[in-house]
Amino acid sequence: MAQITLGLIGLGTVGTGVVRLLRENGDLIEKKTGIRFRLKRIADRGIHAFREFPLDGYELSESAEAVLDDPEIEIAVELIGGYEPARTYLLQAIERGKHVITANKALLAKSGGEIFALADKVGVEVGFEGSVAGTVPIIRILQDGLAANRIEKVAGIINGTTNYILTRMAEDGLSYEAALAEAQRLGFAEADPALDVDGEDAAHKLSILATLAFGVRPERGDIHVEGIRGLEQADIRFAKENGYVLKLLAIGRKTNGHVELRVHPALVPARHPLASVRNEFNAVFVKGDASRETMYYGRGAGQMPTASAVLSDIIEIAERALHAPRGVRGVEGDRARKRTLYWSADRFLPIGEIRTRFYLRFPIVDAPGAIGSLTTILGRHGVSIAAVHASILDAASARGQIEILTHEAIERSVRAACAEIAGTGILREKERLIRVDE
Ligand code: HSE
């Protein structure tokens, strides 16, 4: 029976899941693939404190070099996370002719170009199915399943932490702070939740999806990012009353030779399949010119779901490595699949140029003519109103608010109108702007 030798760097949550899955399902995987997967070495700084199960049969080391230096290891699996030393380990493994697998979205978003270029040069493969939406095989879908399509749109709920918080706010009426505290208690949010709640984690994942969907290589500044901090029950209430659900979406859209990339809270029609994605679940909606609408759903994080994605990379790369004609390792084109990742010259659309519908809420001082002047200003900027609802919150202090749903408009025009409205002095506080994603 064919055998592939593996080395694992990082025995944290996901690394432990990979070892566990290999132990529990190794025989089944062997039956299905005809390949024996031999995990030879595990490297982790805290390896000797590991107590979850016996690590008999593996060669253990505190240092990654043990994996990197072992010529027998054909696939190196990096699961330590973070930027450095993960980047250096991956590059060293590639230089030494090993195929590599990672679930490290932050690293790929920042240094994917460097990593893929070196892998191409050396002739090895990079597996990264675990880097976006955990167990959901969205990388495979974009690279293979929908490969024949021009992708028109990708819209994902690809951060489980924020989806959990927004679900609790919508279903239990919790404030943002209370929902975050609950997510932290249940282990769905980190003690420092910034990366998730500010949208950065979703932006890392969107960057990877954008490369596969549109052939582009975005820098961080090419993606507009807003998180969920500061969302209120008033936003949720408006969504409910108007047939929407409030979600943190990562959107990639191709429009007239441009690619727009953005992460922000969005009103999703309640009938859209993304609206039914609750709690910590993830889903990615993809529209191709031939496939039309498709959607993929599952757990975006967690030990075994992410381990399942990592194992799928191990199996796929092993099958290709074993079944491709053998040659001298390290020679270009030798055993690796060749796919051009960055094939597009499309430019990125600045956020001001996007065209969508908007929900606007203006906290106003209730004064004669307030509604009239506000709607007139919007009209002057070419922003057409689809629905308007004005209410007095407190007659004694003359506090009111005006909620508006616009038709499609250019964001730059909406922003200019909002600035002019603020200049009239009728606002008590800054307006709320939430984009609608139909
Ligand atoms: N906090 C992240 C999430 C972890 O919930 O999606 C996986 O990237």
Side-chain angles (χ1 to χ4, degrees), residues 164-216:
Y164 184 83
I165 293 171
L166 291 177
T167 305
R168 292 280 67 78
M169 286 177 72
E171 296 184 4
D172 301 340
L174 297 185
S175 66
Y176 165 75
E177 289 76 15
L180 168 61
E182 186 179 312
Q184 285 170 321
R185 203 167 49 245
L186 295 173
F188 294 138
E190 310 273 344
D192 176 0
L195 205 59
D196 293 314
V197 300
D198 292 333
E200 287 300 328
D201 175 74
H204 292 149
K205 295 165 181 166
L206 178 60
S207 162
I208 297 168
L209 293 181
T211 293
L212 301 180
F214 308 115
V216 292

Side-chain angles (χ1 to χ4, degrees), residues 105 130-131 133-134 158-162 188-190 196 201 205 280 282 300-302 306:
K105 60 252 171 189
S131 65
I158 50 179
N159 181 268
T161 306
T162 46
F188 294 138
E190 310 273 344
D196 293 314
D201 175 74
K205 295 165 181 166
E280 74 277 22
N282 280 202
T306 311

Side-chain angles (χ1 to χ4, degrees), residues 269-313:
R271 63 176 187 283
H272 192 286
L274 281 172
S276 63
V277 179
R278 299 170 56 244
N279 296 328
E280 74 277 22
F281 279 85
N282 280 202
V284 186
F285 170 92
V286 186
K287 187 171 173 193
D289 60 347
S291 65
R292 309 311 294 157
E293 296 84 354
T294 63
M295 197 170 95
Y296 312 90
Y297 170 90
R299 287 181 196 275
Q303 181 173 75
M304 300 315 285
T306 311
S308 161
V310 171
L311 257 296
S312 83
D313 277 338

